[in-house]
Amino acid sequence: MTSRFADGLAVDSDLVGAAERAVNQALSRLSGQADLVCFFICGDDPDDVARAGERAMRMAPGAHVIGCSATGVIGGDTGVELTPSVSAWAATLEGAELTTFALETLTAEDRFVVVGLPERSPDDHVAILLADPYSFPADAFVERSVDVLGDLPLVGGLANGVQGRGSVRLFADGEIYTEGAIGVLISGSVNVTTVVSQGCRPIGPTMVVTRAEENLLLELAGQPALSRLEDIVTDLDEDDRELVAAGLQIGLAMDEYAERHERGDFLIRGVIGIDPEREAVAVGDIVEVGRTVRFQVRDAATADEDLYDMLDAHRQELGRVDGALLFSCNGRGSAMFGSADHDPLALRDTLGPIGVAGFFAAGEVGPVGGHNHVHGFTASVLVFSSADT
């Protein structure tokens, strides 16, 4: 059976051979010539990863090709973690315009400047972004992307290597990069949408921030922030208290004017500490006075329900879905669900037997509430649907 989107996966310590097989699997299942090929490589030796990437890029000379190293890859309904492997994804995108790019950071007048962005056009739909988190200011770039990219959605992930810093490899149209970021801008006649599942469940009431300093919450709804949190935890059952102890989160409401704020209405950030003397709560973002927030917890059951619900609602809205790229946190998979296959299986279960590939990222990029963010413990999905739906 052939399709406009197809995937391939090969698990083998011979990474060059694995790259050949994975890309061949994806290309052979296409109904037409590939316009875009994405591949992801997990390997112990960065030099082996580079050679495998070179081979993968040579196998589709008529297509735009991007890829990166990772600590785990996703192909079809399977996830592979910390094992030499290559996944590949190929797409026939008739009517689409594709522009690959490579970004680097320069220092100018005591500030960083990102160069290499492609020119924008009214027909732009989305950009896939793959970044080296050790050399590229991904958080700052993504958070401020509206300044240079407007409302263009960014979807992707922070690459990594098994050896960490210095082992990341990025690939774009024949070139290998050891730092920075790469990606592809997708424009023209193509239907693409995004799903970002942060996998959290609210606890306690929504509250307005009434005093704050940078990332320190001092007062919530006119009361000391720590006292508010203690009251919320006191009212929880034992299971939820254990989730709070394992890693409390906070949600920043994306729409301040909504009548209610429920699951999925928040940008999730971690609670990183408390200051008993000031009765304050420190969070992983700068929160302004007047912002609506709600504490959150995350566990496997909540994350499972959130992803399935969001994907199912997306499928019902779109109709026929043909392919997807999946960027899943390396803290999900077997660490959260007991299986590396959970997220790709969720896509297949809800969206059908479509071409799916991706990798386990060190941070996931995707829009929430119309703004691009870098997330953690998240599944960020780029969905391609038929033009006639």
Side-chain angles (χ1 to χ4, degrees):
M1 179 179 178
T2 59
S3 174
R4 294 192 306 123
F5 299 84
D7 55 66
L9 174 67
V11 181
D12 195 331
S13 58
D14 175 8
L15 286 181
V16 173
E20 290 180 352
R21 292 199 303 279
V23 175
N24 265 331
Q25 286 172 24
L27 293 176
S28 65
R29 295 167 181 169
L30 282 185
S31 56
Q33 183 173 342
D35 297 303
L36 176 62
V37 174
C38 303
F39 64 88
F40 311 100
I41 304 173
C42 177
D44 298 326
D45 186 339
D47 292 334
D48 288 345
V49 170
R51 283 188 286 270
E54 282 183 311
R55 181 68 185 119
M57 288 188 289
R58 290 199 302 267
M59 295 181 65
H64 290 282
V65 185
I66 63 169
C68 68
S69 60
T71 57
V73 304
I74 293 166
D77 58 6
T78 303
V80 182
E81 300 170 320
L82 296 173
T83 302
S85 51
V86 180
S87 67
W89 181 89
T92 299
L93 300 171
E94 295 179 6
E97 297 177 11
L98 305 172
T99 306
T100 55
F101 57 84
L103 307 180
E104 61 176 318
T105 307
L106 304 179
T107 303
E109 299 178 354
D110 297 326
R111 63 189 181 95
F112 290 111
V113 177
V114 174
V115 297
L117 284 168
E119 294 290 331
R120 285 292 317 273
S121 80
D123 293 331
D124 296 342
H125 294 294
V126 69
I128 301 170
L129 180 71
L130 309 176
D132 171 15
Y134 304 103
S135 66
F136 186 77
D139 287 87
F141 172 76
V142 170
E143 293 292 338
R144 299 172 185 170
S145 61
V146 66
D147 296 337
V148 289
L149 298 175
D151 59 356
L152 181 74
L154 297 177
V155 178
L158 306 187
N160 209 340
V162 173
Q163 296 184 23
R165 182 184 295 273
S167 67
V168 174
R169 297 294 181 267
L170 306 170
F171 308 92
D173 282 356
E175 299 293 329
I176 301 175
Y177 302 88
T178 58
E179 59 184 17
I182 59 94
V184 59
L185 178 63
I186 302 177
S187 312
S189 179
V190 59
N191 285 5
V192 287
T193 50
T194 62
V195 175
V196 178
S197 173
Q198 301 175 89
C200 278
R201 169 168 53 85
I203 57 171
T206 56
M207 296 167 287
V208 175
V209 178
T210 48
R211 270 189 69 214
E213 292 178 6
E214 297 292 327
N215 71 324
L216 204 61
L217 301 179
L218 299 173
E219 285 187 2
L220 297 173
Q223 298 295 322
L226 184 55
S227 296
R228 286 285 187 183
L229 175 57
E230 289 172 342
D231 290 343
I232 292 170
V233 174
T234 298
D235 291 338
L236 298 177
D237 61 30
E238 184 176 347
D239 289 341
D240 279 351
R241 288 181 192 174
E242 290 181 1
L243 294 179
V244 168
L248 181 64
Q249 314 293 315
I250 193 165
L252 314 180
M254 301 307 297
D255 181 1
E256 294 290 343
Y257 302 102
E259 293 185 7
R260 299 180 63 188
H261 295 95
E262 303 297 337
R263 189 178 67 188
D265 296 331
F266 299 92
L267 172 65
I268 304 300
R269 291 294 184 250
V271 173
I272 58 178
I274 60 173
D275 184 341
E277 291 187 5
R278 303 185 70 185
E279 294 189 89
V281 177
V283 302
D285 207 339
I286 296 175
V287 184
E288 299 176 350
V289 171
R291 193 78 181 264
T292 300
V293 300
R294 192 173 183 185
F295 288 106
Q296 314 266 331
V297 292
R298 178 190 282 123
D299 63 354
T302 296
D304 173 83
E305 181 182 355
D306 188 66
L307 180 58
Y308 271 88
D309 285 352
M310 294 188 75
L311 290 171
D312 190 57
H314 207 68
R315 180 193 58 78
Q316 293 183 39
E317 180 180 343
L318 290 175
R320 177 179 170 182
V321 174
D322 298 319
L325 286 167
L326 169 60
F327 307 97
S328 184
C329 181
N330 54 23
R332 292 171 68 100
S334 59
M336 177 176 284
F337 301 108
S339 169
D341 303 336
H342 177 274
D343 287 355
L345 277 173
L347 264 68
R348 285 287 181 86
D349 287 346
T350 54
L351 303 182
I354 62 174
V356 175
F359 70 100
F360 290 99
E364 303 73 58
V365 178
V368 172
H371 297 277
N372 295 315
H373 301 280
V374 177
H375 308 274
F377 291 94
T378 293
S380 186
V381 189
L382 183 61
V383 180
F384 293 78
S385 56
S386 297
D388 57 354
T389 58

